[in-house]
């Protein structure tokens, strides 16, 4: 199946710094990528939909100025957590959508564990 | 987006068949039913997807009744490695930009 990678797999940063997380579709092109956040023992929460070449669409309650998303190419989307604070500590997961065939399918990355001290 | 309801947790033993049922009373005509598996600190993994009746692949079967208001994921002969959270999702399978709404999921625990 299609492979999606994330980098880094984990990151620890100080409060107030910015952190960039990369999401890559390795063997397919993805016009649409999604970013999720997952707190311990909770479900995934969709943060935003990222479309190549256009602005991301954010879910209600997600600050677009804090979570900057750039979908620069058909294989790369980045999420930058700006001025991170301890409450931003979470597991961030991206997915990339394949098109074609009878149904579309989302392939998920392995996730990035962010810890803000 | 149709909301889904599934049991919070289930316990089973190795070698048994496990059936996890999901309710989606408000499913729309264009909606597909998709199940994902998630291990701790990993991204979800696609298991199976269907629209109606029965779908089977190498790891699971998906049973969908005629009214499509529920679906059942069937895992044959589970092993310890099947211990994970299983999510049932409903949404359009076509058209691109298909947002997925994850519910609470079902924590399956398989014991010896």
């Amino acid at each position: 199946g299609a492979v999606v990678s994330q980098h880094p797999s984990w990151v620890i940063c100080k409060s107030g710094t910015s952190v960039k997380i990369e999401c890559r579709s390795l063997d397919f092109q993805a016009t649409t990528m999604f970013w999720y956040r997952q707190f311990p023992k909770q479900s995934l929460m969709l943060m935003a939909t990222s479309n190549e070449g256009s602005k991301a669409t954010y879910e209600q309650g997600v600050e677009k100025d804090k979570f900057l998303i750039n979908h620069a190419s058909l294989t790369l989307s980045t999420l930058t957590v700006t001025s991170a604070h301890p409450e931003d500590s979470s597991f961030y997961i991206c997915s990339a959508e394949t098109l074609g065939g009878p149904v579309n399918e989302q392939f998920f990355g392995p996730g990035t564990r962010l810890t803000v001290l | 987006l149709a909301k889904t309801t599934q049991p919070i947790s289930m316990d089973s033993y190795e070698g048994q068949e496990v059936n996890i049922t999901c309710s989606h009373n408000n499913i729309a005509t264009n909606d597909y039913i998709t199940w994902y598996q998630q291990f701790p600190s990993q991204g979800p993994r696609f298991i199976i997807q269907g629209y109606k009746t029965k779908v089977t692949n190498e790891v699971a079967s998906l049973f969908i009744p005629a009214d499509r208001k529920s679906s059942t994921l069937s895992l044959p002969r589970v092993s310890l490695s099947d211990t994970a959270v299983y999510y049932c999702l409903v949404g359009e399978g076509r058209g691109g930009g298909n947002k997925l709404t994850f519910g609470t999921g079902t924590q399956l625990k398989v014991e010896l």
Side-chain angles (χ1 to χ4, degrees), chain A residues 5-77:
Chain A
S5 70
Q6 282 185 240
H7 178 79
S9 55
W10 60 270
V11 57
I12 301 173
C13 69
K14 292 182 179 179
S15 186
T17 60
S18 295
V19 175
K20 180 186 283 188
I21 302 170
E22 291 186 350
C23 176
R24 293 182 184 270
S25 56
L26 297 185
D27 49 2
F28 66 100
Q29 294 183 329
T31 54
T32 304
M33 291 184 173
F34 302 87
W35 287 95
Y36 298 81
R37 181 167 54 180
Q38 186 175 33
F39 293 107
K41 298 198 180 297
Q42 292 189 23
S43 185
L44 283 78
M45 243 179 31
L46 179 65
M47 298 175 66
T49 302
S50 169
N51 292 295
E52 187 266 339
S54 63
K55 291 184 179 179
T57 303
Y58 292 82
E59 294 299 302
Q60 192 172 10
V62 178
E63 300 175 56
K64 63 179 181 181
D65 294 330
K66 180 170 183 62
F67 299 99
L68 301 179
I69 292 172
N70 186 358
H71 196 150
S73 75
L74 289 173
T75 59
L76 173 63
S77 175

Side-chain angles (χ1 to χ4, degrees), chain B residues 23-90:
Chain B
S23 297
H24 28 79
N25 292 317
N26 298 322
I27 189 169
T29 303
N30 294 334
D31 286 341
Y32 283 73
I33 300 155
T34 311
W35 285 79
Y36 284 86
Q37 175 193 55
Q38 186 183 29
F39 296 111
S41 297
Q42 294 187 27
R45 185 175 74 100
F46 173 90
I47 301 175
I48 198 166
Q49 183 179 69
Y51 184 80
K52 61 180 179 181
T53 62
K54 178 183 174 182
V55 179
T56 298
N57 62 22
E58 61 275 9
V59 298
S61 295
L62 179 59
F63 298 92
I64 306 169
D67 66 6
R68 304 199 326 121
K69 292 182 183 238
S70 67
S71 60
T72 299
L73 173 72
S74 181
L75 304 173
R77 296 180 299 280
V78 295
S79 64
L80 293 175
S81 61
D82 293 317
T83 294
V85 178
Y86 293 82
Y87 292 98
C88 160
L89 292 92
V90 174

